[in-house]
Amino acid sequence: MGAKAGPPEVLAALAVLGLGAALLCLLWGAPCPPPWGQRRPEEEPAWSPGPGSGPAWEPLAGEAQRLRQNSCRLELVESLPQDLPFAAGSPSARPLAQAWLQLLDAAQESVHIASYYWSLTGADIGVNDSSSQLGEAVLQKLQQVLSRNVSVAVATSHPTLARSSTDLQVLEARGAQVRRVPMGRLTGGVLHSKFWVVDGRHVYLGSANMDWRSLTQVKELGVVLHNCSRLAGDLDKTFQTYWALGAPHAALPRRWPHRLSSHINLARPLRARFGGVPTAAYFSASPPALCPAGRTRDLEALLAVMRAARRFLYVSVMDYFPTTRFSRPARYWPVLDSALREAAFSRRVPVRLLVSCSLHTDPGMFPFLRSLQAFSNPAANVSLDVKVFIVPVGNHSSIPFSRMSHSKFMVTEKAAYVGTSNWSEDYFSSTTGAGLVVSQRAAGSAQEQLRRLFERDWSSRYAVGLDGRAPGQDCVWRG
């Protein structure tokens, strides 16, 4: 959801696991998506962090050999809107469309996709533009996957204002299973998550919806995990909660089946070597009602990363409101706002917040951003800087709800967080979301790569300060 109605975020603002999975399906009286087959023991068991600020990285007795054999690999991916050049030599991540197509080519048994809405073709929104071709290629590839007898299961939000899209009907006709989850009835929110689980081994998670604009017209950031069966299986438990709630007449359970409990979390992250690099990682989720036992809540994960920061804390998010956004009357909700101020003031951590500004931005956000900026006090060594990121519309004005920065990530010297939620109360209390927290100890770590991408954006000509002296072209500007 975002500032005004429409993709990629705000359409809704207007409006298995073996025996355990079988049990879950029986509870709601409907079939489950097919399991992916035998798990692969690439990753190490979860671990408990010892005392102090960091994990105990020495392997436990008998683990060293399995750690060396670990094949899990992490890769940052992004979409850069067409006609948004950065300076030569700037850092970059792998193109998102390329990563999606590769994941589909690699699929052998199953593809589970959670997405807010679907709009992969230009015809879905009545636009004839060559930039829709990548989305159409993804839709075609999904049909090819189904023709190879790979099962495809989709959980999506219901209702959706992408009413003209035929993507899911096309896939259902080829054999895909689709559940439309009525989160509005169940929690008052929407299914806003955006992730894939492929063959129970590979994962995509990030800001991009199943929308062709996410590949060519909107700035997105995500992460792909390759050959990570334990993390993939853990994220698929979150998918199974959506799947259960998409069954006819489903209701929120008083207690989720034990099989959906997570044993990988903030207190006990997965410990493994990703490409030889010591790594700790776990998934978080929202809202609390969709967090079975052991699942770290998304807000808790964000706050934990923020509280551990000592050298820097950088945030990139589409919308930033220390309030509710979709309930009336709005309520004040200072949780994340206070955490930023506490980091800057109490620990003197340099904080940078980069927020999207587009033609669809709610100008009511700017007073909150100025309040944060005013909190900065260089004389007292309190650094809290705010900028907005403006994607020029250029000759793409015929494409609605595009030309914006849609990323949702945070990075410190200790950890990288990649998520699916904007920063306002509703995303953490009633709307589904998911996040990945990863910490690595080596040169070229995930947090170092993400920091370089943030600094590229922050220092680019598209990032504008709040002093009002810079033009707010193609942005709802209140300088």
Side-chain angles (χ1 to χ4, degrees):
M1 288 179 281
K4 299 207 177 192
E9 290 291 4
V10 290
L11 293 173
L14 285 181
V16 171
L17 304 174
L19 179 60
L23 174 62
L24 182 64
C25 298
L26 288 173
L27 289 176
W28 281 276
C32 274
W36 51 71
Q38 185 64 38
R39 300 266 182 91
R40 299 159 176 81
E42 290 96 358
E43 290 81 35
E44 277 303 288
W47 60 285
S48 294
S53 60
W57 287 105
E58 295 76 12
L60 301 175
E63 290 185 345
Q65 180 64 27
R66 292 194 298 277
L67 282 170
R68 284 195 293 270
Q69 294 174 345
N70 199 296
S71 61
C72 190
R73 181 167 60 90
L74 180 149
E75 180 178 40
L76 294 177
V77 295
E78 68 177 349
S79 290
L80 296 179
Q82 290 182 353
D83 303 318
L84 192 80
F86 286 95
S90 294
S92 63
R94 187 179 184 196
L96 173 61
Q98 186 182 105
W100 277 5
L101 291 169
Q102 183 192 41
L103 283 173
L104 294 176
D105 279 334
Q108 299 176 359
E109 299 172 7
S110 65
V111 179
H112 295 175
I113 299 177
S115 181
Y116 180 25
Y117 68 94
W118 286 65
S119 187
L120 286 172
T121 75
D124 286 341
I125 59 170
V127 169
N128 182 14
D129 191 278
S130 61
S131 64
S132 68
Q133 291 175 359
L134 276 178
E136 289 152 5
V138 170
L139 183 61
Q140 183 178 24
K141 185 71 69 174
L142 280 163
Q143 296 176 69
Q144 294 171 2
V145 166
L146 286 162
S147 71
R148 302 200 313 263
N149 293 321
V150 174
S151 67
V152 174
V154 173
T156 190
S157 196
H158 177 78
T160 176
L161 294 187
R163 294 176 184 143
S164 299
S165 175
T166 60
D167 300 353
L168 291 177
Q169 291 92 321
V170 167
L171 295 179
E172 285 179 293
R174 295 291 188 100
Q177 300 179 61
V178 178
R179 292 273 178 92
R180 296 164 175 87
V181 185
M183 289 300 299
R185 174 176 64 81
L186 296 166
T187 67
V190 298
L191 193 156
H192 189 257
S193 307
K194 310 106 168 31
F195 64 77
W196 301 14
V197 179
V198 177
D199 291 344
R201 299 180 60 193
H202 316 296
V203 164
Y204 160 77
L205 182 146
S207 61
N209 292 298
M210 300 301 294
D211 186 331
W212 62 270
R213 289 163 290 190
S214 294
L215 304 178
T216 56
Q217 295 294 338
V218 174
K219 189 173 181 296
E220 310 276 11
L221 190 285
V223 62
V224 173
L225 300 176
H226 303 271
N227 297 311
C228 292
S229 60
R230 291 207 61 218
L231 281 177
D234 187 63
L235 183 61
D236 200 72
K237 293 178 180 181
T238 294
F239 179 86
Q240 295 295 337
T241 65
Y242 306 159
W243 193 255
L245 295 177
H249 313 297
L252 284 170
R254 291 184 178 180
R255 178 177 297 177
W256 289 98
H258 177 72
R259 186 61 173 155
L260 295 187
S261 298
S262 176
H263 305 286
I264 302 172
N265 46 44
L266 170 61
R268 233 177 123 76
L270 175 75
R271 176 189 171 207
R273 291 186 181 270
F274 286 20
V277 177
T279 302
Y282 67 92
F283 288 110
S284 57
S286 63
L290 269 69
C291 289
R295 176 68 62 201
T296 298
R297 298 177 181 184
D298 214 14
L299 179 60
E300 182 184 5
L302 282 168
L303 292 173
V305 172
M306 296 166 78
R307 288 166 180 159
R310 292 297 181 271
R311 298 180 185 174
F312 66 89
L313 197 169
Y314 298 162
V315 179
S316 180
V317 69
M318 178 181 164
D319 280 348
Y320 180 91
F321 282 85
T323 65
T324 56
R325 291 285 287 121
F326 308 108
S327 61
R328 296 293 180 268
R331 298 185 303 274
Y332 185 52
W333 185 77
V335 178
L336 294 173
D337 195 79
S338 295
L340 292 178
R341 295 172 191 265
E342 193 277 334
F345 188 87
S346 298
R347 301 195 306 276
R348 296 304 196 261
V349 178
V351 175
R352 291 177 174 177
L353 174 64
L354 186 60
V355 181
S356 178
C357 187
S358 74
L359 295 176
H360 306 290
T361 296
D362 184 344
M365 179 172 64
F366 283 86
F368 300 118
L369 298 182
R370 289 198 193 87
S371 174
L372 278 174
Q373 184 67 71
F375 191 77
S376 194
N377 184 358
N381 196 28
V382 176
S383 177
L384 205 170
D385 293 326
V386 181
K387 290 185 179 181
V388 294
F389 193 93
I390 304 171
V391 178
V393 173
N395 62 358
H396 303 281
S397 58
S398 64
I399 303 173
F401 299 102
S402 64
R403 314 305 292 177
M404 67 185 72
S405 178
H406 191 236
S407 304
K408 300 109 169 40
F409 68 84
M410 176 171 61
V411 61
T412 74
E413 79 281 2
K414 294 182 179 178
Y417 168 90
V418 177
T420 69
S421 295
N422 289 306
W423 282 25
S424 68
E425 190 266 355
D426 315 72
Y427 287 94
F428 304 101
S429 64
S430 60
T431 284
T432 77
L436 171 68
V437 177
V438 60
S439 178
Q440 297 185 319
R441 294 184 60 178
S445 65
Q447 58 263 34
E448 181 180 327
Q449 295 177 53
L450 195 56
R451 175 188 60 81
R452 294 180 68 211
L453 291 177
F454 179 91
E455 291 178 341
R456 174 202 67 186
D457 296 345
W458 182 266
S459 61
S460 73
R461 65 178 182 268
Y462 312 112
V464 178
L466 296 178
D467 56 16
R469 293 192 295 270
Q473 185 177 6
D474 296 331
C475 171
V476 179
W477 186 254
R478 297 292 185 271

